[in-house]
Amino acid sequence: MLLTEGAGRRGFGRALVALLFVGATAAAVPAQAAPETPLQHIVPAPVTVTPRPGVTFTLTADTRIYTHPGSAGARQVGEFLAGVLRPSTGYRLPVVPGASGRHISLLLVGADARVGTEGYQLDVTKRGVLIRARTAAGLFAGVQTFRQILPAKVEAKTKQRGPWTAPGGRVLDYPRYAHRGAMLDVARHFFSVAEVKRYIDQIALYKVNRLHLHLTDDQGWRLEIKSWPNLTAHGGSTEVGGGPGGYYTQEQYKDLVAYAAARHITVIPEIDMPGHTNAALSSYPELNCDGVAPPLYTGIEVGFSSLCIDKEITYRFVDDVLREVAALTPGEYVHIGGDEAHATTDPDFTLFMDRVLPLVAKHGKTATGWHEFVKAGPPAAAVPQFWGTKTVAPDMVEAAARGSEIVLSPATKAYLDMKYDANTRLGLSWAGYTDVQDAYDWNPGAYIEGLPATAVRGVEAPLWSETITDSADLEHLAFPRLPAIAELGWSPWSTHDWDRFKVRLAAQADRWDVMGVNYYASPQVPWTR
């Protein structure tokens, strides 16, 4: 049951039929009561898990990773898996096209139709591991689950002692929502390329598929715009508290986009407007109504800045910025902010958006924005992102009635920068305290009164950076709450159970320790050490 690079299509077919037969017959064995294994500790919770008691698969020095022949996407997923496993195991783990019941196989045929475009089936038998999906994104999701059922030390960057065993069983899994996001504010405090990549790797483990980068704000402009170079030369030169700031060159940004894409995460860039624009206003006097550039801003107040709505140069500026950002961003969406524009009257806000929304479309993108931008009547394809603190939001219900799908980021539930409690060193508390159970115990499909469940596009966990300056700070606020929001985005509501989730979450700690994640040991979670 082996296909090597030299084997033909007929050989692959025979191997595949045998593999699928083995998977189907093994799945027919009834589940029996057995002690808990890592299959019961997967986050986000899969749709179904069927253990095979007494069965384990062990990685050995001879193990190979087989990928669907002719699929560059499957090959890339295989190389990603090998990249995770090689440092800790010390094994070669060659990645080759084909299929084998005695190794690890990543195949794009034979999956249950319910897996859709991002789901997968994972079968672990004594002889091998088979991940089946309809797309490379589905294979990648299956690989993240496979990682979680291996010993935590498999995540180490140096060689460890085995054995490398995974419990036998079958997982059938697919996401609840299309949009499962994490937002990182790199404007108030700048995060380096390496720090953003580290966060990308962390969120990928929990099947997050969108990284929303908040690239501009009053305190800093973080993306090179070649037609307006002073945005970064001046506007990117500081941050909250007066630090040195920083920015991404266009090549660095493209590298981040590609790094995320290799982990099946789409980057959504945000250029906030017409408010939250002091860094731009300070960089170019002509963007101000009075022609006078304000000083750079290093505080954390909001709502005081606005592009000049009545000047034609404002729209030339926005057009240039959107053109360059769109050219750098293969994803469908560009986020145009629209929040907390307190220095802009509602008529001016609408006038501004009436000019800007067509510019987004002109450059081949679909607009998304914070929920306030619905007052300008954006097209149905535009995606409002709700960050409110109340469950009554008639503007969201009305937007849904016009055809918009809503991404939910309620500040009282999903904002990772809120303090856990009154004693938390990092974070803010304007939306209240948010411990892990608060982040977990809400249903996106029934959260906003009167909003149809079908109008919810997904969830996103924003992390604003007023109080954080490095990866350790970031991780302290994101973990363990980010996995809670990720589960709300991926798992079916039928699996939602706080008492079970907190146990599964606690089991992640060993992995975070190996990965060096600076998580917060919430007293709500029964950590095992």
Side-chain angles (χ1 to χ4, degrees):
M1 200 188 305
L2 177 67
L3 180 70
T4 63
E5 293 196 43
R9 186 181 301 272
R10 189 175 302 171
F12 173 66
R14 287 196 298 269
L16 180 60
V17 169
L19 261 179
L20 299 184
F21 177 76
V22 169
T25 54
V29 177
Q32 302 174 18
E36 281 203 345
T37 74
L39 280 170
Q40 278 76 47
H41 294 156
I42 299 165
V43 177
V47 175
T48 63
V49 177
T50 308
R52 295 188 174 108
V55 174
T56 59
F57 168 77
T58 302
L59 284 171
T60 70
D62 296 326
T63 299
R64 294 185 169 201
I65 299 173
Y66 287 88
T67 63
H68 197 98
S71 170
R75 170 85 187 195
Q76 187 180 54
V77 175
E79 293 288 359
F80 175 89
L81 176 59
V84 172
L85 303 180
R86 284 170 180 153
S88 55
T89 64
Y91 300 155
R92 289 181 57 247
L93 298 171
V95 180
V96 293
S100 171
R102 295 185 181 276
H103 297 269
I104 299 170
S105 296
L106 310 178
L107 302 180
L108 293 172
V109 291
D112 188 301
R114 288 173 291 174
V115 303
T117 58
E118 291 188 275
Y120 63 93
Q121 283 177 233
L122 167 65
D123 281 284
V124 180
T125 67
K126 182 177 181 179
R127 301 177 67 210
V129 175
L130 172 61
I131 300 176
R132 288 173 278 176
R134 300 173 69 182
T135 66
L139 292 178
F140 188 81
V143 161
Q144 305 321 304
T145 294
F146 179 54
R147 288 170 68 182
Q148 288 194 31
I149 65 174
L150 287 167
K153 61 187 175 181
V154 81
E155 305 291 343
K157 300 303 182 185
T158 57
K159 188 174 180 180
Q160 307 291 308
R161 184 185 298 274
W164 304 104
T165 60
R170 163 170 285 188
V171 177
L172 172 65
D173 204 11
Y174 46 87
R176 181 182 184 186
Y177 292 118
H179 184 114
R180 305 177 306 280
M183 189 218 81
L184 180 59
D185 171 16
V186 297
R188 289 185 174 87
H189 278 104
F190 181 67
F191 288 81
S192 70
V193 169
E195 288 172 322
V196 177
K197 286 182 175 180
R198 179 176 170 86
Y199 196 45
I200 289 171
D201 284 332
Q202 291 165 350
I203 65 178
L205 180 58
Y206 297 101
K207 303 183 177 71
V208 169
N209 68 347
R210 301 287 186 269
L211 175 64
H212 169 180
L213 284 177
H214 184 78
L215 291 165
T216 69
D217 213 301
D218 292 316
Q219 299 85 354
W221 188 286
R222 307 303 182 198
L223 177 62
E224 176 189 23
I225 303 297
K226 292 184 183 294
S227 55
W228 296 75
N230 213 37
L231 290 171
T232 46
H234 177 72
S237 65
T238 191
E239 60 188 7
V240 167
Y247 66 91
Y248 310 116
T249 67
Q250 293 197 357
E251 288 304 311
Q252 288 174 323
Y253 175 77
K254 286 192 290 186
D255 179 49
L256 281 175
V257 169
Y259 191 87
R263 287 142 185 81
H264 294 273
I265 294 172
T266 300
V267 170
I268 300 175
E270 180 183 352
I271 307 296
D272 208 342
M273 57 181 94
H276 289 279
T277 47
N278 192 80
L281 298 173
S282 183
S283 300
Y284 287 97
E286 58 268 40
L287 299 177
N288 297 270
C289 289
D290 61 5
V292 178
L296 290 168
Y297 182 68
T298 60
I300 63 171
E301 296 302 317
V302 299
F304 60 88
S305 60
S306 179
L307 294 169
C308 190
I309 306 302
D310 296 328
K311 279 189 169 183
E312 198 59 31
I313 194 171
T314 293
Y315 304 101
R316 193 156 69 245
F317 165 74
V318 172
D319 192 16
D320 285 341
V321 170
L322 290 176
R323 171 176 51 80
E324 294 196 34
V325 171
L328 297 168
T329 306
E332 179 182 356
Y333 294 96
V334 170
H335 201 295
I336 57 172
D339 60 315
E340 297 174 322
H342 305 321
T344 310
T345 66
D346 282 356
D348 278 353
F349 186 91
T350 299
L351 174 64
F352 177 81
M353 288 297 174
D354 284 348
R355 295 287 302 272
V356 168
L357 286 165
L359 296 177
V360 178
K362 169 187 170 183
H363 296 297
K365 301 300 178 183
T366 299
T368 180
W370 300 108
H371 69 256
E372 293 100 317
F373 93 139
V374 301
K375 65 186 178 184
V383 177
Q385 182 171 356
F386 176 76
W387 63 275
T389 60
K390 308 293 184 184
T391 59
V392 176
D395 53 346
M396 294 297 93
V397 177
E398 291 167 10
R402 295 193 299 267
S404 287
E405 294 183 325
I406 317 298
V407 170
L408 295 180
S409 300
T412 54
K413 298 290 186 180
Y415 269 34
L416 302 181
D417 54 296
M418 290 300 104
K419 290 176 176 284
Y420 292 96
D421 58 35
N423 298 316
T424 305
R425 178 178 64 87
L426 299 170
L428 302 173
S429 58
W430 60 264
Y433 302 124
T434 306
D435 211 326
V436 190
Q437 186 171 3
D438 302 305
Y440 182 76
D441 259 346
W442 60 288
N443 181 1
Y447 184 73
I448 294 179
E449 294 181 23
L451 183 69
T454 54
V456 177
R457 182 172 180 79
V459 296
E460 185 170 295
L463 180 47
W464 301 99
S465 65
E466 287 94 337
T467 68
I468 63 174
T469 61
D470 57 23
S471 288
D473 290 350
L474 184 163
E475 291 159 12
H476 191 71
L477 290 179
F479 293 91
R481 292 180 294 190
L482 184 280
I485 303 299
E487 176 147 314
L488 292 174
W490 178 277
S491 303
W493 185 246
S494 61
T495 66
H496 190 86
D497 184 301
W498 164 250
D499 287 333
R500 293 178 180 174
F501 173 73
K502 67 184 181 182
V503 173
R504 287 187 288 112
L505 190 62
Q508 301 295 307
D510 288 345
R511 195 165 305 272
W512 296 341
D513 286 338
V514 173
M515 296 170 70
V517 176
N518 183 39
Y519 65 94
Y520 168 66
S522 169
Q524 295 184 338
V525 178
W527 310 105
T528 55
R529 60 171 182 77

